[in-house]
Amino acid sequence: MEGLNFAPILIPLLALFIGWVIGFFDSNLRTSKKIKEAEAAAQAAIKDAQEKIAEAEARLASIPQEPTRADDPGILRIKNENGTLTLDLDGTRVNAASITPAQRKRLIEILTYLRPWLEGRPAPINAPAAPSASLSPPHPVPVSPTPPTPTSAQAPTPKKETEPEATPTSLVGQINAILQKQIANTPLASKGIILMESPSGGVNVYVGINKYEGIDQVPNEEIKAAIRAAIAEWEKKYTPGL
């Protein structure tokens, strides 16, 4: 054993070990450098994205925004919502299946103001007030005390005569005018019965918010009798002797 020389074996092993140590540290240095480069690139990308987001927000802020418009249903609005007609009266949704007497009176009042347009006559200047007028009749008659007897020094002011309404020119309009006179001051006056000429030349009967295409479709026999009476009166007035 004393004559053995380990130098030829140890020297190569030591060289390999030193080479491995140098390679290990070199690999770590390269990996650390790549990590730092990746982190720097990521930070640059994040900063670039933040700048682009800030530019986009600035452009959006510079665009003028349209003011939000509040929904104004007005006095009367009918809408088609998914195939179902809805009615808003003075801004309140009305249930057609259970309409209250006050709502019915209010609706008839509004329809009264719409009749001039339907009959081709000049419309009234003042629209129906909303919504407190729903509790009062369309044309209230004021009650005032008996005026004092005018003296010689105080002559009474002459009253302006009411201008007569224009006579409707269409046949349906003439019959409707007769009907309104006949049912005035009767229970039928509060039902809002209106006759209108249809696009096909026939007659549509409106009872409140309900529409009937023809007199025979009206379910109320009293209303049908009143319409037929108006037709008979029209025949006497416009077609005598026929």
Side-chain angles (χ1 to χ4, degrees):
M1 297 295 291
E2 294 180 358
L4 293 177
N5 186 4
F6 293 99
I9 299 174
L10 294 176
I11 290 174
L13 290 176
L14 183 59
L16 289 174
F17 177 74
I18 293 172
W20 178 82
V21 170
I22 294 172
F24 176 77
F25 283 105
D26 182 65
S27 176
N28 286 345
L29 290 174
R30 291 181 180 179
T31 302
S32 178
K33 184 178 180 181
K34 290 180 179 180
I35 292 174
K36 289 181 180 180
E37 291 176 353
E39 289 178 349
Q43 291 294 334
I46 292 173
K47 184 178 180 180
D48 183 62
Q50 289 176 344
E51 291 177 352
K52 290 182 179 179
I53 292 173
E55 291 176 359
E57 291 177 348
R59 284 196 298 268
L60 290 176
S62 63
I63 299 175
Q65 300 293 329
E66 294 184 0
T68 303
R69 297 180 180 178
D71 183 24
D72 182 13
I75 296 175
L76 180 67
R77 181 174 69 178
I78 299 175
K79 295 178 63 177
N80 186 342
E81 296 182 354
N82 299 324
T84 302
L85 291 180
T86 61
L87 173 65
D88 292 336
L89 187 62
D90 294 324
T92 303
R93 180 60 52 88
V94 174
N95 185 358
S98 60
I99 186 171
T100 65
Q103 290 172 337
R104 183 180 297 275
K105 181 183 292 185
R106 174 63 172 160
L107 186 59
I108 293 173
E109 177 188 7
I110 296 174
L111 293 176
T112 301
Y113 279 88
L114 291 177
R115 285 180 183 175
W117 279 288
L118 302 178
E119 297 177 358
R121 295 187 285 109
I125 297 176
N126 297 325
S132 59
S134 60
L135 301 179
S136 60
H139 302 287
V141 180
V143 179
S144 59
T146 304
T149 304
T151 62
S152 58
Q154 181 183 3
T157 303
K159 296 182 179 180
K160 295 182 180 179
E161 295 183 358
T162 304
E163 296 181 359
E165 294 183 357
T167 303
T169 57
S170 67
L171 183 149
V172 177
Q174 293 170 353
I175 295 175
N176 180 66
I178 296 173
L179 173 66
Q180 302 307 321
K181 293 180 180 179
Q182 290 182 343
I183 67 175
N185 301 322
T186 69
L188 293 179
S190 63
K191 295 185 179 296
I193 307 170
I194 301 175
L195 303 182
M196 289 183 58
E197 187 173 353
S198 66
S200 61
V203 58
N204 290 332
V205 182
Y206 291 86
V207 182
I209 60 175
N210 298 318
K211 173 185 174 182
Y212 304 99
E213 297 180 354
I215 301 172
D216 294 334
Q217 291 189 6
V218 178
N220 190 307
E221 294 296 332
E222 186 179 2
I223 295 176
K224 286 196 291 189
I227 297 174
R228 291 193 177 103
I231 295 173
E233 180 66 22
W234 180 88
E235 292 175 347
K236 291 180 183 179
K237 183 176 180 179
Y238 292 94
T239 59
L242 296 180

